Amino acid sequence: MIIAVLLVSRTRRDLKISLLGVLISSMAYLINSSTMMAPPLPWRIPIDFLSISTTVWAWVFAHQLFERRIAKPLLVTVPILLTLLWIIAFTVPEWQWFTFYAIRLLSLALVIHLIIIAITGRADDLIEKRRRIRMYLPIFVGLQVGGVLVYELFFGATDNLPSVSAINAMLILILVLGAGMAVLAAEEELFSKPAADKRQARPILNLSPSETVLHDKLIAAMKEGQYRIPSLTIATLASQLDTQEHRLRALINKQLGHRNFSSFLNGYRISEAKEKFADRALVDLPILTIAMDLGYGSLAPFNRAFRNETGLTPSDFRKTAIDRN
């Protein structure tokens, strides 16, 4: 049912692909680990492969749901490494002990990374429903997937105790119900296209009196250059504006169209950076100095944000802007 709804929904394409991967590989895992649904031999091999790929699909899905880019080398290396380990396990019997532990350690590393990105990105996230997912997903994924992997590393993959199987089944049920509720409820806020696509056509603001006051205070703070403060968080900004954090999050998300606080700050920071790069008087000012003056802790996040906003590297943009002027 979840797969059927997902296929006909308006969920963005990257999320559809990764979530389908999660669902199909999870089905394979359930079949592969069942004592009553053991597949016939010709199907056992692909089902086993799909089963061990569950953590990879979950890891990719988490990145896309939380709108985090995966480095291309990592995105290529992880599936290839997993596939090679699986092939060795089937073709070189004497190496099965090594591949057993290697596959589970790799999967456990992906689960740990998934939990880290969910927790560390919560403060920057402006979507309330996704913030709740960031809080609960690490708990249940850590308990279910991480728990199974740790158990198998210490006790092997067979002869699970009935109590362990019962706990595992309950955690799977909770995860499936959570995924089903999110997908079947057609959560546009979670699965729609990223903010950059929506801000272009955002209608005139329809603010309540209290939102109008908060909006004016926010714009005034940005004009004063508050966005240049290094490591500025929404909690700090809310305190400076003498308002509650959830009210400021709602204003920036629902009225201004930003899904992450860093996206909101980048709008101001990149706009100022473009002005400086086009200024002939500042042509010799190092890019790193400009990035640091705008509140970035290092050059890499500035370069990423600038390229996402303009499609050009800072140096290419400066060259084009100076030549044009």
Side-chain angles (χ1 to χ4, degrees):
M1 188 186 296
I2 296 172
I3 291 174
V5 171
L6 183 67
L7 288 173
V8 299
S9 71
R10 288 183 290 181
T11 301
R12 64 182 197 262
R13 187 177 178 183
D14 60 341
L15 269 177
K16 273 189 179 182
I17 293 172
S18 60
L19 188 50
L20 278 172
V22 171
L23 293 169
I24 293 171
S25 60
S26 297
M27 291 165 63
Y29 165 77
L30 293 174
I31 293 171
N32 199 42
S33 60
S34 172
T35 57
M36 301 178 66
M37 297 173 59
L41 189 58
W43 292 97
R44 198 172 302 163
I45 294 176
I47 287 176
D48 184 73
F49 178 73
L50 286 172
S51 174
I52 66 167
S53 70
T54 304
T55 49
V56 176
W57 283 113
W59 175 71
V60 172
F61 173 71
H63 277 79
Q64 292 172 344
L65 178 64
F66 301 142
E67 294 169 28
R68 286 179 58 107
R69 181 172 296 179
I70 307 176
K72 284 186 179 179
L74 198 59
L75 185 58
V76 172
T77 301
V78 168
I80 289 177
L81 181 58
L82 187 70
T83 302
L84 287 175
L85 288 170
W86 178 79
I87 291 172
I88 292 172
F90 269 88
T91 57
V92 188
E94 59 269 25
W95 280 71
Q96 281 189 354
W97 65 272
F98 169 77
T99 55
F100 175 87
Y101 287 103
I103 288 172
R104 279 151 185 80
L105 286 172
L106 174 61
S107 299
L108 189 59
L110 295 179
V111 170
I112 293 171
H113 189 224
L114 184 158
I115 292 171
I116 290 172
I117 66 172
I119 294 173
T120 56
R122 190 169 185 269
D124 186 56
D125 205 331
L126 297 175
I127 300 176
E128 200 57 44
K129 291 175 182 176
R130 198 166 63 184
R131 283 170 56 82
R132 289 199 295 270
I133 290 176
R134 286 181 181 272
M135 184 166 60
Y136 295 118
L137 183 68
I139 296 174
F140 291 111
V141 169
L143 286 173
Q144 198 279 314
V145 185
V148 168
L149 291 169
V150 170
Y151 181 88
E152 290 181 351
L153 282 170
F154 283 96
F155 301 103
T158 59
D159 300 327
N160 288 341
L161 295 172
S163 58
V164 172
S165 296
I167 294 171
N168 186 30
M170 184 59 66
L171 290 170
I172 291 172
L173 176 62
I174 292 171
L175 283 171
V176 171
L177 287 176
M181 289 170 66
V183 176
L184 297 177
E187 299 282 10
E188 182 184 359
E189 197 176 22
L190 294 178
F191 302 128
S192 59
K193 290 185 178 181
D197 298 326
K198 291 195 158 189
R199 290 199 302 273
Q200 307 298 329
R202 182 157 288 275
I204 297 174
L205 299 180
N206 182 21
L207 303 175
S208 67
S210 62
E211 286 176 329
T212 299
V213 172
L214 179 57
H215 177 263
D216 291 346
K217 290 167 67 176
L218 174 63
I219 298 304
M222 293 301 106
K223 286 182 178 178
E224 292 172 3
Q226 293 294 310
Y227 58 86
R228 299 191 194 100
I229 297 175
S231 305
L232 178 66
T233 66
I234 194 165
T236 303
L237 183 58
S239 176
Q240 291 172 353
L241 299 180
D242 193 26
T243 188
Q244 295 173 315
E245 185 181 336
H246 72 87
R247 289 189 61 220
L248 184 58
R249 276 202 310 267
L251 176 69
I252 298 174
N253 173 225
K254 297 183 182 300
Q255 297 293 346
L256 303 183
H258 296 270
R259 296 161 74 89
N260 296 290
F261 184 58
S262 56
S263 167
F264 170 71
L265 293 179
N266 285 337
Y268 287 92
R269 289 172 172 175
I270 300 306
S271 178
E272 184 176 338
K274 289 192 290 186
E275 291 177 7
K276 290 187 174 182
F277 289 144
D279 189 342
R280 286 176 172 266
L282 301 177
V283 68
D284 292 323
L285 187 64
I287 292 175
L288 176 60
T289 301
I290 293 175
M292 301 293 281
D293 288 345
L294 291 173
Y296 292 94
S298 63
L299 192 57
F302 171 69
N303 285 340
R304 260 194 319 271
F306 193 91
R307 188 158 194 165
N308 287 341
E309 189 78 19
T310 66
L312 296 171
T313 63
S315 55
D316 288 342
F317 183 92
R318 170 180 266 175
K319 183 178 185 305
T320 302
I322 294 296
D323 289 345
R324 189 184 300 129
N325 294 337

